[in-house]
Amino acid sequence: MENSQCEPCKARDKNNTPTHWCVICEEALCLECTEHHRVQKMSRSHELLDINIKPIHINISDQRCSEHENLPFEYFCIDHDSLCCKECQVESHRSCQKIMSVDIASKGIQSSQSFIDAVELIEHVLMTIPTIKEERHTLIESIEKEANLVKDEIRKVKEQAISHIESLEKTLLEDLKQKKEKILNNAKVTITEIQDIERIAKEKKDTFDIVDKHGSEKQAFLAVHAYKTVLADLEQRISTITEQTTNLSIKLNTNLPNKSIMSIMSIGTIDTIEVPTAKNLFRERSDSLKFQLYNNKFYRSSLEARCYHVLGCI
């Protein structure tokens, strides 16, 4: 546990439980050290807090320069409105005319508008956070409900699409049935006609076979001329059939222009709509604070006056 020991006692290899926290010294104190702290001249004015109500993050004075091996901030540059360590002062602020120690610059800061604005800004942030949390929880619940509604709508669109496809299927099957029956009927008609031609042709062949084998020339002559019309008709009929008859097949064509099922790329889109939330309230409030640390004109004037007329700049 952080600060589980009295720090002055710890420095003397003692292990005492802390009871208080000194805000100025930023260290934990046991009961005995607390009493000494309250009576010593240098620390009797220090604010002491019960260790149980001490803020978790309170080591403010331990802020150090990240650019120069964590050297402590000892100076404040009014020109650049920034804290400086010794190396910063030499490297980046050598030509600055308004530099003073942090101890001098910090005089009166707690009553300055900059400090008040900082406190108000933090309070406003903390006031805004519950609203944002509540909105986010409400958003989560709302999105869950809306997502379920969208799922239902997608299901309905799917059912409509399936119903439409089933209707198209019915139309295709009916078209298939009609075309199949037409082809089969035509084929059956052709078969019937071919059978009639075959019957007549066989009859005439039998006649010519008998005449050829057993008949006289006169009978052959009469057969040729008597059946000339019949034979010509048979020739015409069979010629017409062979010219008009084709081999057919039935297949499904799914590549019709702009009508292919595979050309359907989407049945809809999922859209999101943004609505302003409490963050706008925070912006309005933070803008009204006009928070800029150490930049309040009255406090800045006080610093400059202190720099020039009281203790002087470094």
Side-chain angles (χ1 to χ4, degrees), residues 2-3 7 21-27 56-66 68-74 83 85 102:
E2 186 181 7
N3 303 126
E7 294 181 42
W21 174 266
C22 178
V23 176
I24 303 301
C25 298
E26 297 182 358
E27 64 178 3
I56 298 176
H57 304 289
I58 198 171
N59 294 326
I60 302 172
S61 299
D62 200 33
Q63 300 296 316
R64 294 176 179 272
C65 180
S66 60
H68 298 107
E69 300 180 353
N70 289 325
L71 289 176
F73 289 123
E74 298 183 23
L83 293 167
C85 70
V102 170

Side-chain angles (χ1 to χ4, degrees), residues 211-273:
V211 170
D212 182 37
K213 294 178 181 180
H214 307 289
S216 63
E217 290 182 345
K218 180 180 179 181
Q219 288 176 320
F221 180 80
L222 291 174
V224 169
H225 289 281
Y227 298 138
K228 183 186 295 184
T229 302
V230 175
L231 296 178
D233 181 60
L234 290 177
E235 181 183 20
Q236 180 62 39
R237 289 173 67 186
I238 197 69
S239 177
T240 299
I241 290 174
T242 55
E243 289 176 359
Q244 295 180 353
T245 300
T246 58
N247 290 325
L248 299 175
S249 64
I250 297 180
K251 294 181 179 180
L252 176 63
N253 181 6
T254 60
N255 296 318
L256 299 178
N258 301 322
K259 294 182 180 180
S260 171
I261 293 178
M262 300 306 294
S263 67
I264 301 176
M265 303 304 294
S266 174
I267 59 174
T269 60
I270 305 299
D271 299 330
T272 58
I273 302 173

Side-chain angles (χ1 to χ4, degrees), residues 194-208 230-231 234:
I194 287 295
Q195 288 174 342
D196 184 59
I197 294 172
E198 183 182 27
R199 178 185 60 78
I200 296 173
K202 284 183 177 180
E203 290 177 356
K204 298 303 179 266
K205 184 177 184 303
D206 290 342
T207 300
F208 277 91
V230 175
L231 296 178
L234 290 177

Side-chain angles (χ1 to χ4, degrees), residues 67-105:
E67 296 183 5
H68 298 107
E69 300 180 353
N70 289 325
L71 289 176
F73 289 123
E74 298 183 23
Y75 305 107
F76 178 72
C77 177
I78 300 177
D79 292 335
H80 291 95
D81 191 31
S82 64
L83 293 167
C84 318
C85 70
K86 290 181 179 179
E87 293 298 322
C88 289
Q89 193 271 332
V90 174
E91 292 180 5
S92 305
H93 302 274
R94 184 185 296 274
S95 61
C96 296
Q97 300 298 316
K98 302 172 185 177
I99 296 181
M100 62 175 60
S101 71
V102 170
D103 291 336
I104 296 174

Side-chain angles (χ1 to χ4, degrees), residues 182-195 241:
K182 181 179 179 181
I183 293 172
L184 295 181
N185 289 336
N186 289 339
K188 290 176 181 179
V189 169
T190 300
I191 290 173
T192 300
E193 186 172 2
I194 287 295
Q195 288 174 342
I241 290 174

Side-chain angles (χ1 to χ4, degrees), residues 23-67:
V23 176
I24 303 301
C25 298
E26 297 182 358
E27 64 178 3
L29 304 171
C30 67
L31 186 59
E32 182 181 353
C33 290
T34 298
E35 294 302 321
H36 292 160
H37 212 71
R38 283 173 174 164
V39 298
Q40 289 178 355
K41 185 175 182 179
M42 292 184 63
S43 59
R44 66 179 59 167
S45 62
H46 291 187
E47 183 75 19
L48 298 176
L49 301 178
D50 188 295
I51 194 68
N52 294 320
I53 63 173
K54 177 187 77 71
I56 298 176
H57 304 289
I58 198 171
N59 294 326
I60 302 172
S61 299
D62 200 33
Q63 300 296 316
R64 294 176 179 272
C65 180
S66 60
E67 296 183 5

